Amino acid sequence: MSEVARFPAPVSSGDDRQLPRNIEAEAAFLGAILIDNRVVEDLPVQLNAAHFFEPLHGRIFAQTMALIERNSIATPVTLKPYFENDEAMKAVGGVGYLAQLTGSGAGLIGARDFARQIYDLALLRELVDVGRTMVEGALDTSESVDPQAQIEEAETALYRVAGGESEMGSVKSFNAASLTALQAAERALNSGGHLSGITTGIGSMNAKIGGMHNSDLMILAGRPGMGKTSLATNIAYNAAERFRRDEEDGIPPEKNMGAKVAFFSLEMSADQLATRVLAEQSGVSGEALRMGKISKEQFQQLSRAAQELQTLPLFIDDTPGLTIAGLRTRARRLQRRHGIGFIVVDYLQLLQGSSRSGDNRVQEISEISRGLKTLAKELNVPVMALSQLSRQVESREDKRPQLSDLRESGSIEQDADMVLFVFREDYYVAAREPKRPIEGDDVKIHAAHEEWAAEMERVFGLAEVIVAKSRHGSTGKVRLHFEAKTTKFSDLADDSRAYEDYE
């Protein structure tokens, strides 16, 4: 190829070392495209104008791609009108430079390698920029500086570089988006018509919500004692176990119905959460397990369950007092290292916002809910965040929760793609137990207790998951069985109408 024109040196930043670049590779790559436009159809990386060190080369590439996308042929002749008044083009000899790029066909042989090098060098320049910003921030010793926040910001910037993201963000064509939608429909078809996302492991819930979808923020809320953490733990275990099983069966990752799970437990320690999972999977009472009131046979059940769970792709982070920025940093790290595909946060109100929110709790909760939704989109995974409900539920005769009961901020409802409430009527019926009759009591006392016992028998072990909001389908409720001893939720065996839609 003809010698590449010399470009003006970039303005010095005070550092004699040059930024990573290869202007000759850029020129050779552009020449290959202008000789044969089909080169862009088989590139190992997705290039854009920002990846070129020389701005003129970036503009040439952008205009070339614009012509190709319009089904026009990009050649030095068709590009000429767009660069006749370009000052940088004039500085290298005018539009004749376009023809100079195609002076040799040598670039055609190594076009893929040139593209990869251009992309890699662009990432290195971004890395240099992140490093300089980190150094400048670290040298600032004013009182307003928060070192922990700087670390989190630096890790966020590094994550963007690691993911190949530039400041322009990601843009998808409708064709690419529709292909993703078709793949989700294919997953649902192959699963029997109910599951397009990650499984919850509970058939009636899958049938109602279609599984847990990537980039969704799911809020799982309920009053204390309803079983929020138990249900979240069940779902986390089921998703991780399905991932392990599908992987062992040789099912490719894109068709795996499970996911590796990150469980952020801000309320319970990792060993407490592990105790719950062991109780659920071994059938041994969690209370008996904690107090050591188990037989040798039950201990053997626990040992077998613990052995089976050793390779379960479920990662527990029980760091207390996490900020939303800190949680996002840890989640990115887990996905980078382990390929996390589902995140659970227990629970939302225990997260902290930034110092900017001050004493405004509503503003802080709004920041947290937005941060969780951003995390779901950024990592392209479903995020399930548990949430408390306000006490106004207790003042109503019907204790079933509503969207207005979400505590402290309406932004939780606004940011969520799906809102699920856990409700167990037997919890409230048990609390209304009248005086237990003894010999000699009035017949009314006996009748009242018998009436209560009949009602308790009707609702005992039943739970409802109320789908109060769903961007993917209808709202309604799912009826489940709840085993109090092991805190395990499962499908009802004797109910033909496991779920129903609201009017």
Side-chain angles (χ1 to χ4, degrees):
M1 190 180 76
S2 304
E3 184 181 350
V4 178
R6 295 188 176 275
F7 292 89
V11 178
S12 173
S13 61
D15 190 338
D16 291 336
R17 289 170 294 185
Q18 290 188 336
L19 286 172
R21 91 282 299 269
N22 188 340
I23 294 177
E24 289 77 12
E26 292 178 2
F29 176 71
L30 289 173
I33 296 176
L34 294 179
I35 293 171
D36 184 356
N37 292 175
R38 291 173 298 180
V39 166
V40 299
E41 297 173 5
D42 186 31
L43 295 180
V45 289
Q46 189 171 351
L47 287 177
N48 59 53
H51 289 122
F52 290 80
F53 177 81
E54 171 50 49
L56 176 59
H57 286 165
R59 292 197 295 277
I60 293 172
F61 179 77
Q63 191 57 55
T64 299
M65 295 304 296
L67 288 174
I68 293 171
E69 286 172 8
R70 294 202 300 263
N71 292 320
S72 299
I73 298 174
T75 67
V77 174
T78 56
L79 285 174
K80 181 180 176 181
Y82 301 99
F83 292 94
E84 285 180 328
N85 297 318
D86 190 296
E87 294 300 322
M89 184 70 80
K90 291 177 182 177
V92 293
V95 290
Y97 178 66
L98 295 170
Q100 185 182 342
L101 290 173
T102 61
S104 168
L108 285 169
I109 301 172
R112 288 173 57 85
D113 293 332
F114 290 142
R116 167 58 71 182
Q117 188 179 68
I118 292 166
Y119 180 85
D120 289 345
L121 291 173
L123 289 187
L124 288 175
R125 291 195 296 274
E126 283 193 70
L127 195 58
V128 169
D129 187 56
V130 170
R132 284 175 175 166
T133 303
M134 288 170 61
V135 170
E136 289 170 4
L139 290 174
D140 183 358
T141 57
S142 59
E143 291 184 4
S144 61
V145 171
D146 181 356
Q148 189 60 42
Q150 285 190 10
I151 292 170
E152 290 166 357
E153 288 171 7
E155 187 152 10
T156 299
L158 286 170
Y159 175 81
R160 292 198 185 104
V161 175
E165 299 175 19
S166 67
E167 64 279 0
M168 295 182 297
S170 58
V171 178
K172 279 187 177 178
S173 68
F174 179 77
N175 180 50
S178 62
L179 283 175
T180 303
L182 282 173
Q183 288 168 357
E186 183 186 13
R187 281 167 61 95
L189 179 65
N190 293 338
S191 69
H194 295 309
L195 188 61
S196 59
I198 295 168
T199 184
T200 64
I202 303 172
S204 51
M205 276 193 69
N206 286 339
K208 181 64 187 169
I209 66 175
M212 300 176 291
H213 301 84
N214 288 338
S215 80
D216 271 8
L217 172 60
M218 306 171 67
I219 299 297
L220 178 61
R223 289 292 294 155
M226 291 294 107
K228 298 186 301 295
T229 300
S230 297
L231 180 56
T233 306
N234 286 183
I235 291 172
Y237 169 83
N238 292 338
E241 173 59 22
R242 179 61 182 267
F243 180 89
R244 179 173 66 175
R245 196 166 66 245
D246 282 4
E247 191 174 46
E248 289 173 353
D249 290 342
I251 296 173
E254 65 273 10
K255 294 186 178 180
N256 195 311
M257 293 298 178
K260 294 182 179 180
V261 182
F263 199 115
F264 289 91
S265 180
L266 286 83
E267 188 174 32
M268 292 193 299
S269 64
D271 58 317
Q272 288 175 321
L273 202 61
T275 299
R276 282 201 177 212
V277 175
L278 277 172
E280 291 162 10
Q281 301 311 314
S282 65
V284 177
S285 164
E287 183 179 356
L289 181 57
R290 285 188 297 273
M291 299 180 70
K293 297 179 179 179
I294 57 175
S295 64
K296 288 185 178 180
E297 184 181 345
Q298 287 175 319
F299 184 77
Q300 288 175 348
Q301 288 177 244
L302 279 170
S303 297
R304 283 194 296 270
Q307 192 171 4
E308 290 174 2
L309 295 175
Q310 282 182 353
T311 58
L312 189 73
L314 173 58
F315 303 88
I316 301 171
D317 186 324
D318 61 356
T319 306
L322 268 181
T323 63
I324 181 60
L327 182 140
R328 289 173 64 182
T329 297
R330 289 169 180 269
R332 293 188 198 105
R333 192 180 301 150
L334 280 167
Q335 191 185 58
R336 197 163 59 242
R337 292 178 180 174
H338 303 291
I340 293 302
F342 174 42
I343 295 171
V344 181
V345 181
D346 183 16
Y347 58 92
L348 186 150
Q349 280 81 9
L350 287 178
L351 282 171
Q352 299 176 20
S354 66
S355 56
R356 293 190 300 272
S357 33
D359 296 328
N360 190 328
R361 182 58 177 166
V362 172
Q363 182 180 337
E364 185 177 27
I365 291 294
S366 298
E367 178 192 351
I368 291 167
S369 67
R370 282 195 304 273
L372 290 171
K373 175 57 184 174
T374 301
L375 177 65
K377 289 192 69 177
E378 184 180 3
L379 300 188
N380 194 33
V381 301
V383 173
M384 176 179 284
L386 279 61
S387 176
Q388 293 281 20
L389 294 177
S390 65
R391 290 191 180 92
Q392 66 185 16
V393 175
E394 311 296 338
S395 63
R396 295 196 300 265
E397 185 175 348
D398 184 355
K399 303 291 194 279
R400 286 174 176 80
Q402 304 167 1
L403 286 171
S404 57
D405 297 325
L406 284 169
R407 190 170 160 186
E408 294 176 312
S409 176
S411 65
I412 298 176
E413 174 189 349
Q414 176 184 321
D415 294 327
D417 297 282
M418 190 175 295
V419 178
L420 309 172
F421 294 121
V422 188
F423 174 74
R424 287 172 44 225
E425 191 173 358
D426 61 359
Y427 176 89
Y428 292 104
V429 174
R432 296 199 305 267
E433 182 180 7
K435 178 183 180 294
R436 293 193 176 192
I438 58 175
E439 188 177 351
D441 275 345
D442 187 274
V443 66
K444 290 183 179 179
I445 295 177
H446 283 272
H449 197 274
E450 286 174 6
E451 183 180 351
W452 171 85
E455 185 181 8
M456 190 65 188
E457 185 178 0
R458 177 182 64 82
V459 299
F460 183 74
L462 295 180
E464 292 179 7
V465 175
I466 301 167
V467 184
K469 176 185 177 181
S470 175
R471 288 197 172 122
H472 302 293
S474 61
T475 55
K477 61 185 176 184
V478 182
R479 298 185 183 91
L480 303 174
H481 173 71
F482 177 70
E483 174 59 58
K485 184 178 76 169
T486 60
T487 65
K488 188 170 185 176
F489 287 83
S490 57
D491 288 306
L492 288 175
D494 58 351
D495 192 342
S496 59
R497 291 189 66 204
Y499 64 94
E500 64 181 29
D501 292 341
Y502 292 136
E503 295 294 333

